[in-house]
Structure formats: structure tokens, C-alpha cells
Amino acid sequence: MSRTPASPVARSDLRGRTALVTGASDGVGVEIARGLAAAGADLVLPVRNRAKGERAIESIRATVPGARVSLRDLDLARLETVRALADELRAERGPLDILVLNAGIVLLGDPERHVSVDGFELHFQTNFLGHFALTTALLPLLEERRARVAVQLSLAAGVSRVLWDDLQSERHYRPLRAYGASKVALGLFGYELARRSRARGSDVTVGFSHPGVVPGTAIAPAMRARGGNSAGRALSERLGGTPAQAAQCALLAATAPAEEAPSFFGPSGVFHFGGPAAPQRPYRRLADPADCARLWGLAERLLGERIGTTAP
């Protein structure tokens, strides 16, 4: 089925630039990658499932013939793969102009607390800590190219908070709370990355987005298997957006002029569930300097304990 590439980068010329998009094997992620490819960017797509990745490339090339795509291996829930990808890209010393932190999991409907092979709660590692490890490891490449880091948040980040005394929901687990906290953590990281980049005189800039509500994806599989709340499902289907529409927000975060960053984009429709991408008011709790610095320090400590390294 033919699909039109998302539009916000239509005015951008990304020829000669390279964009890495996490979570681009399906859903909103593949539409972000499609939009970047349509603007001329070379793509690096690190995926957990190679077969899905190949299908995503076929889909992108069906609408963007000749798209240049490099498929790589990455499972954010396995820090060894994060480290391997970062080592590989640094050894190649290829360009990296845009980094889109889009991958994520939502385990709504599953009451069991899941833990990664590295010992972290699965939302916490997949949505936040893995992205933290990847981004900080790639900072030398990003700084060389005056790169943009686009941070994909969610509506949940606007109403959630990090529970500092139960960071990984060890004492009390609820999937929505764990998911929301992981997205808040990702946002705090993004703001601290922007602050540190300015302080170092780095030209790395940061943009933020959220996709609204996107019924046409495979998120929250346990809840979908049960059928979920019928009234809520009908509301989200009526007011939400398609993956291609939702991708527009991240595309703006990735390509808006640097003087507008840190910027925040989301759907402009009712409840911000769907509608055209537009600037949004940033979530206030994500910009607290003390929380941003505290979260960064915790992430460094946790990574140091697991893999013996710290972020720049």
C-alpha cells in the first residue's frame, strides 16, 4: 500500500546527512525514518528483529525509491548490544547528524514486573537507560556534526513523575506508572543533555516530541489481546492519529531550526491525541535543573555498576 512520507521535512534538504532512528522497524518509527529518507537523509536503523527491519526497509523504498539504509543490531534491553553498536559506529567514524530516540515499550495490561537481562525494570531500561547509554557513547560523533537529538516522549510524561525512592518500581509496580516514569526520565535526560551541551560549547541541540495517541500500532500487546476498554478504544480511534501523522511531531523535533531548540512538538487536536503537528508547551517538570542533574548522575552510577563505564 502506498503511503505519503510525513510532511514536516518536505522543506528540508537532508542530502549528505545521516540519521539514526531507534525503534524504526514498525509503527511510528518506520514513518519517521520514511520522512527523513524522503528529505534525502541516509538512514541507520538499529533493530532488535532483523526480519522486521528488512520489511521496514522494503516499505520505505516502496515510497522512497533508492533510499540509502544501513540495518544494524540493537536491543535496548541488552546493554551489551548498545555498547556493541556504539563501538561499531565510533570505529567507522561515519557521520551522524540526527539521532531520534524513538524506541520504547508499553506493557499496559500486563501486571507482571519484567526485568531485563541486565537487571533493570524493562520500561526503565528500554525507554530510558538504553537510550542514555547509546546517546552518551555516541556524543563524540554527534559533536563532530553539530547534530540534533530528537527525544520522543509521550502524553504520559506530562502527568507522571519519577519516584526517586522506587526508581524501578521494585516495591510497588503498576505498568502505567512504570511507563510514565521511564518517559519522564527520558525527558529529564534530554533537558540535561541540552544544558550540558551548551555549557561545553557543543553544537549538539535537542528537540522533543510526543506522538499523541496512535491506535494503529502494536504497543501494549497484553491490553490489545484483552480488547481493553471499549469506550476508551473508541475515543482513541476517533481522536488519535495514524503512525504517519504521529511521525510528523518527531520529524519537526529532528529538523526544526537550531535556534528553536530545545523545542517541543505534538499533535494539535483535541486532548493532543491527534491532528497536525505543532509546537507544544513543554512539560514543566522535565525542565527542573536539579532533577535533570540528579537523574543523569543516577544513570551514570547504574551503568558504571553494570558495565564499568560512565557517560561524558
Side-chain angles (χ1 to χ4, degrees):
M1 181 176 64
S2 176
R3 281 169 287 190
T4 303
S7 61
V9 294
R11 297 183 300 277
S12 299
D13 183 354
L14 299 181
R15 287 175 296 182
R17 299 188 181 185
T18 300
L20 187 156
V21 184
T22 67
S25 60
D26 58 13
V28 176
V30 72
E31 300 302 332
I32 296 170
R34 189 192 310 278
L36 293 168
D42 296 341
L43 298 178
V44 177
L45 301 187
V47 298
R48 184 176 57 184
N49 184 315
R50 279 252 166 180
K52 288 180 64 176
E54 294 288 357
R55 289 195 294 271
I57 292 174
E58 291 177 8
S59 171
I60 291 167
R61 287 178 175 157
T63 53
V64 189
R68 295 174 297 278
V69 188
S70 171
L71 196 64
R72 306 297 179 110
D73 296 307
L74 174 68
D75 181 353
L76 289 165
R78 302 182 70 94
L79 288 173
E80 64 180 5
T81 74
V82 177
R83 185 168 61 251
L85 175 63
D87 289 346
E88 183 180 311
L89 294 175
R90 288 198 307 260
E92 292 172 5
R93 298 210 53 85
L96 186 54
D97 302 274
I98 297 171
L99 174 60
V100 184
L101 307 182
N102 167 75
I105 60 166
V106 190
L107 299 180
L108 303 184
D110 182 351
E112 181 181 350
R113 179 180 179 271
H114 296 273
V115 178
S116 74
V117 295
D118 300 301
F120 299 108
E121 192 277 319
L122 203 55
H123 290 99
F124 181 83
Q125 178 165 341
T126 305
N127 298 347
F128 160 61
L129 193 62
H131 277 135
F132 178 95
L134 179 65
T135 305
T136 52
L138 292 177
L139 269 179
L141 296 181
L142 297 170
E143 290 177 336
E144 282 182 15
R145 302 288 290 194
R146 301 180 178 181
R148 170 67 55 81
V149 178
V151 181
Q152 180 82 294
L153 300 178
S154 73
L155 286 167
V159 295
S160 303
R161 59 193 178 95
V162 171
L163 299 178
W164 299 104
D165 60 347
D166 192 19
L167 195 62
Q168 297 186 63
S169 305
E170 295 174 279
R171 293 202 297 272
H172 182 57
Y173 176 79
R174 290 201 306 270
L176 180 58
R177 187 180 77 162
Y179 168 70
S182 72
K183 284 296 190 176
V184 172
L186 183 63
L188 292 172
F189 160 58
Y191 273 96
E192 181 66 4
L193 175 63
R195 187 197 68 77
R196 289 182 178 227
S197 295
R198 289 192 300 268
R200 290 199 310 271
S202 165
D203 289 318
V204 173
T205 57
V206 182
F208 297 86
S209 62
H210 79 81
V213 174
V214 192
T217 66
I219 64 169
M223 186 172 68
R224 289 171 180 271
R226 292 183 190 174
N229 178 280
S230 59
R233 187 169 65 251
L235 182 64
S236 67
E237 290 174 352
R238 182 163 62 89
L239 298 180
T242 66
Q245 290 169 336
Q248 295 177 11
C249 306
L251 288 169
L252 280 172
T255 62
E259 59 265 27
E260 297 179 17
S263 51
F264 189 46
F265 299 94
S268 58
V270 178
F271 304 133
H272 301 293
F273 277 17
Q280 305 279 305
R281 180 176 298 174
Y283 300 145
R284 291 179 57 187
R285 71 185 60 202
L286 301 184
D288 184 299
D291 283 352
C292 292
R294 182 181 183 184
L295 192 281
W296 186 291
L298 281 169
E300 285 187 320
R301 178 175 59 77
L302 291 171
L303 289 175
E305 291 172 353
R306 290 299 193 279
I307 60 178
T309 62
T310 56

